[in-house]
Amino acid sequence: MIGQPYRPVTYMMGSTPAGNMNNMNNMSNMNGMAPMGTMGAMSNKGSIGNMGTMSGMPPQVTSGSPMTPAGTVISTAAPVYEQSYVENIFRLNLGKVGTFYFTYENNKDWNAKVYTGVLEAAGRDHLIISDKATGQRVVLLMVNFDYATFDEPLVYQYPGVIGNPGGVRGCR
């Protein structure tokens, strides 16, 4: 085997016509090197020509979007709705008066506490209620939350359904 000096090759991204690959073969002949098609591992010129069909970046795909076997993305309008977490239920019912039950572990003074007030705000880890009479606001952490009661109907929208579910449910 004849030792050939190392010569780096720069490949262009995007479409490379098959003619350019032939020009590369001719250039190597001019340098006294064997044509690319005659090199051992790269003897199939068709596979070298196919390298030009690759693009630089894959298409932007939204998570969960379907794709065709050819690789094109099928755009679909995904339904947008709130998930059924307690903070989202509270957000749908801001302004309503409720009674909120909390327990505090390892507390010597009081283990459980009950708060009554107007639901003003609800976050992922907290809710804010206010007392109508005093105007005092209390920030309560959801980590201590047990349950809540309301004296009026609640707005409740669960995933996949717009508005309240139809019909009134009674006790049986």
Side-chain angles (χ1 to χ4, degrees):
M1 182 168 179
I2 302 172
Q4 296 179 1
Y6 173 73
R7 294 187 184 173
V9 179
T10 305
Y11 295 101
M12 294 179 7
M13 296 299 288
S15 299
T16 304
N20 285 357
M21 295 306 270
N22 289 336
N23 288 343
M24 290 174 73
N25 288 339
N26 292 338
M27 287 174 56
S28 62
N29 280 339
M30 290 180 0
N31 293 331
M33 295 175 59
M36 288 175 90
T38 60
M39 298 171 91
M42 296 200 176
S43 62
N44 187 354
K45 286 186 183 180
S47 64
I48 294 173
N50 290 339
M51 284 178 23
T53 60
M54 293 190 296
S55 65
M57 295 288 288
Q60 292 290 327
V61 179
T62 323
S63 178
S65 295
M67 291 183 71
T68 64
T72 56
V73 180
I74 301 171
S75 60
T76 58
V80 178
Y81 50 82
E82 292 270 340
Q83 293 184 346
S84 185
Y85 293 113
V86 71
E87 67 263 18
N88 293 333
I89 296 168
F90 285 153
R91 284 187 198 122
L92 290 170
N93 292 283
L94 296 178
K96 295 187 178 183
V97 177
T99 305
F100 303 89
Y101 297 84
F102 288 80
T103 53
Y104 302 91
E105 296 180 18
N106 302 322
N107 190 321
K108 294 178 184 176
D109 297 331
W110 35 268
N111 186 346
K113 194 150 172 128
V114 179
Y115 302 90
T116 301
V118 177
L119 183 59
E120 288 196 2
R124 178 174 280 178
D125 65 343
H126 68 280
L127 56 95
I128 300 173
I129 62 170
S130 65
D131 184 4
K132 280 185 178 180
T134 64
Q136 182 181 21
R137 288 172 175 74
V138 182
V139 178
L140 302 166
L141 298 179
M142 295 299 284
V143 70
N144 303 104
F145 177 73
D146 291 325
Y147 66 97
T149 60
F150 293 86
D151 291 335
E152 58 186 300
L154 295 178
V155 175
Y156 178 60
Q157 180 179 357
Y158 54 92
V161 175
I162 298 173
N164 284 332
V168 177
R169 295 183 185 155
C171 298
R172 293 182 186 184

